[in-house]
């Protein structure tokens, strides 16, 4: 059966699987933010006490602790916010990929894109389990969609990546669709 005659493959998001990966990450990051925030409060108390009875060493140590604590809180909070944002974006995607005889339509976290089979030049599978990734090497100039110029350059240099987390059905189904859609010209290889 030719790829154009086959029913389209629709890959959706398994939100429960996304939650199982991201929820523990967010919880693990909240703990340091709380602990470092407590250190900031403690350092603030030390600064206040040091200023009440100023000695050079005490003030320096207290101010240094406060500054370091604030920097740590900002860094961990920024990473926490980025992870929570990524979690929300991944959960919001219903249909991730639709592969049919003409190519693939994808909803990526950074935009929508259509890839004709003629634009797919290579494919490889790396990792295993939750870290398994299918990466397609594509001609970025043949893509149709709303990707920014920056993201098109990334696709041109690194390809399109599909992580296994939350992909239903999984990477094997997408790899089979790539092989069928390209009529065997591109068969994803495990590396």
């Amino acid at each position: 059966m030719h790829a154009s005659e086959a029913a389209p493959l629709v890959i959706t998001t398994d939100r429960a699987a996304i939650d199982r990966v991201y929820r523990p990450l967010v919880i693990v990051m909240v703990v340091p933010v709380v602990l470092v925030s407590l250190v900031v409060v403690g350092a603030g108390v030390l600064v206040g006490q040091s200023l009440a009875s100023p000695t050079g060493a005490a003030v320096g140590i207290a101010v240094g602790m406060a500054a370091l604590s604030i920097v740590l809180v900002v860094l961990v909070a920024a990473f926490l916010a980025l992870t929570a944002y990524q979690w929300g974006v991944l959960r919001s995607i219903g249909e991730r990929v639709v592969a049919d005889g003409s190519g693939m339509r994808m909803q990526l976290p950074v935009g929508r894109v259509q890839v004709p089979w003629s634009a797919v030049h290579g494919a490889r599978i790396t990792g295993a389990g939750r870290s398994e990734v299918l990466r397609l090497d594509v001609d970025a100039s043949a893509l149709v969609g709303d990707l920014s110029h920056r993201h098109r350059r990334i696709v041109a240099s690194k390809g399109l990546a599909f992580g296994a987390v939350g992909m239903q059905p999984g990477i094997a189904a997408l790899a089979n669709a790539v092989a069928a859609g390209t009529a065997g010209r591109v068969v994803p290889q495990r590396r």
Side-chain angles (χ1 to χ4, degrees), residues 43-112:
V45 170
L46 284 176
V47 167
Q49 288 177 348
S50 297
L51 293 176
S53 60
T55 63
V59 171
I61 290 172
V63 169
M65 278 183 55
L68 179 62
S69 300
I70 290 169
V71 168
L72 287 174
V73 166
V74 168
L75 288 175
V76 173
F79 190 68
L80 174 63
L82 181 62
T83 302
Y85 172 76
Q86 185 176 8
W87 181 13
V89 167
L90 289 175
R91 281 189 105 260
S92 71
I93 298 172
E95 285 186 352
R96 292 169 85 172
V97 179
V98 176
D100 58 23
S102 64
M104 296 180 290
R105 293 178 305 281
M106 300 168 227
Q107 176 63 53
L108 304 172
V110 294
R112 287 183 291 272

Side-chain angles (χ1 to χ4, degrees), residues 7-15 90 92-109 111-117 120 133-136 138 143 160-179 181:
L9 169 68
V10 178
I11 295 178
T12 59
T13 298
D14 178 353
R15 288 181 176 89
L90 289 175
S92 71
I93 298 172
E95 285 186 352
R96 292 169 85 172
V97 179
V98 176
D100 58 23
S102 64
M104 296 180 290
R105 293 178 305 281
M106 300 168 227
Q107 176 63 53
L108 304 172
R112 287 183 291 272
V113 67
Q114 293 178 348
V115 181
W117 291 121
V120 179
V133 174
L134 172 65
R135 188 170 300 274
L136 298 176
V138 299
L143 302 180
L160 286 167
F162 300 92
V165 173
M167 186 180 275
Q168 187 175 348
I171 292 222
L174 185 55
N176 291 337
V178 169

